[in-house]
Amino acid sequence: WKDSDGKVQRKAKDPREGRVVATLRYEWYWMWNQHYNPSQWIMVLDARDSYFQRNPFADLPRRSNPEGMTQGLLYFFGENTEATRLGKSTKNVNWLRNGYGAPVLDALRTKPTICSGSTMGEQIAMEQYLRALVNEKDESSIRMTGADQGFHNYLYYSHKLANVLAIQSLTVFEQGYGLINNLGALRKKPLSEWGNLYNNRTHEVFNFDGTLSPVVHQWDRDKDLFHFLFKNKF
């Protein structure tokens, strides 16, 4: 609460336990989200290991008449299904088991991994997604760093977001087919050996259809790309 001069007079107390930054960030995302109009596109992204090759917002669908809109689009981005699944990753296994128990883990073991570090959507849909993810932590006792990945995947595969009125549709893009290209699961061999994904002469990253990836996420897992970017860009 602030007075007429903007000075804080009283602060609200949060009765919940503290949480790690990786989970707490979704509360910050939600607060920032409130400063945008319902039709505006928002991206939440791990900044440390991401960079842009072209404008990811350039070709997004836009509302011709955004006034009074009640629904928005939401985009999730997957990790490579050949390289990993939820049950193949020790971290994902631990996040799901500790967050939801063995039965949920067993049900999701073979499901493709959806990355919690890269999400896009129109503001009205993003607001509901962010509320839902924060609520998953509020209903869970898990305190592990990275548990948001478990929450993110559970929200999708449990269909908890399916009946949210403000979400018109939720699209999951497979790795290498969306606006954000998640490279982390490809670390088992050089990027240049994953088809046409990476040009080690120009150091450009592509989607599997040959188009330049707008956003490259988890670039530091590849030795060649890491050394090039660390030497020339950072």
Side-chain angles (χ1 to χ4, degrees), residues 94-138:
N94 287 332
W95 293 326
L96 287 168
R97 179 189 291 119
N98 287 281
Y100 297 102
V104 169
L105 170 61
D106 290 340
L108 300 185
R109 278 186 183 277
T110 61
K111 299 293 187 182
T113 304
I114 305 171
C115 180
S116 64
S118 53
T119 302
M120 296 181 70
E122 292 176 294
Q123 186 274 344
I124 193 170
M126 282 289 291
E127 197 269 345
Q128 292 297 304
Y129 158 69
L130 295 170
R131 278 180 177 269
L133 198 136
V134 169
N135 186 67
E136 290 302 301
K137 167 54 188 172
D138 290 343

Side-chain angles (χ1 to χ4, degrees), residues 14-34:
D14 191 337
R16 302 170 300 174
E17 67 174 5
R19 52 203 66 201
V20 297
V21 171
T23 303
L24 179 63
R25 61 178 171 164
Y26 291 89
E27 309 227 18
W28 296 334
Y29 292 161
W30 179 83
M31 287 185 279
W32 290 325
N33 180 273
Q34 305 308 299

